[in-house]
Amino acid sequence: LATGPHTLLPGGVAMPKSDIRDDGTTGAELRVVSELTSVTTLSGEHDLVTKHLLLEALAEAEAYPNVVVDLTPCSFLDSSILGVFFAARDAQRPGCETLALVLPERGDAVNTAINLTGVRELIPVYETLDDALRSLGESSVEGEDFEARLAQRD
């Protein structure tokens, strides 16, 4: 578990940002958007071997009522990763308002897996991160310097 820039936690506590990486192309990165919302971005290919990356990132994300998983840079995921999404949805604790996914419509393996397994019927799926954040009452992060935005909160 490597640490990088700091993120703002509930109550205004600053903590190192998680950047959980398995290699240069596959990873899970947790970003804090606000005291209520975090975004976990999955990049590369994810299966049983990398499942721990998602589990670790989601465990850290549990501090926030709204958890968004951005699959935009994800090129492959298998049923073990889908199982993590279903388990996270089923285990939503009191105060956890939303688990949402970001996945642009495209003809790739990730969309095929999401569509064939009925994830869209059980977990909200948005085309863009902005769409997901707006649905949660958050402001856009696209086009903004994310770290500068966090620094303004300190």
Side-chain angles (χ1 to χ4, degrees):
L1 182 68
T3 59
H6 285 75
T7 56
L8 184 67
L9 298 177
V13 177
M15 182 176 171
K17 180 177 86 170
S18 295
D19 191 9
I20 306 163
R21 296 255 177 235
D22 203 39
D23 62 30
T25 60
T26 297
E29 179 183 356
L30 174 69
R31 294 183 294 165
V32 178
V33 175
S34 73
E35 290 139 359
L36 298 174
T37 304
S38 68
V39 175
T40 297
T41 303
L42 289 185
S43 57
E45 297 183 359
H46 290 272
D47 55 21
L48 189 57
V49 173
T50 62
K51 178 179 166 180
H52 70 281
L53 298 174
L54 177 58
L55 291 171
E56 290 173 27
L58 289 179
E60 289 186 41
E62 283 184 358
Y64 306 93
N66 301 316
V67 177
V68 177
V69 179
D70 186 359
L71 298 172
T72 304
C74 184
S75 57
F76 175 82
L77 52 81
D78 74 357
S79 61
S80 67
I81 302 301
L82 295 170
V84 171
F85 295 146
F86 288 124
R89 179 194 168 271
D90 292 344
Q92 283 182 329
R93 67 214 177 280
C96 183
E97 298 172 16
T98 302
L99 171 66
L101 304 177
V102 175
L103 181 61
E105 272 296 329
R106 55 187 186 221
D108 66 358
V110 178
N111 267 283
T112 300
I114 295 293
N115 292 335
L116 288 176
T117 57
V119 171
R120 291 181 190 271
E121 285 80 43
L122 299 173
I123 300 171
V125 178
Y126 297 91
E127 289 277 325
T128 68
L129 181 56
D130 269 352
D131 290 344
L133 293 175
R134 274 195 296 273
S135 78
L136 299 169
E138 299 287 354
S139 60
S140 169
V141 295
E142 289 183 13
E144 292 186 27
D145 182 340
F146 186 75
E147 297 300 330
R149 190 169 144 203
L150 286 174
Q152 290 176 356
R153 294 174 184 236
D154 291 336

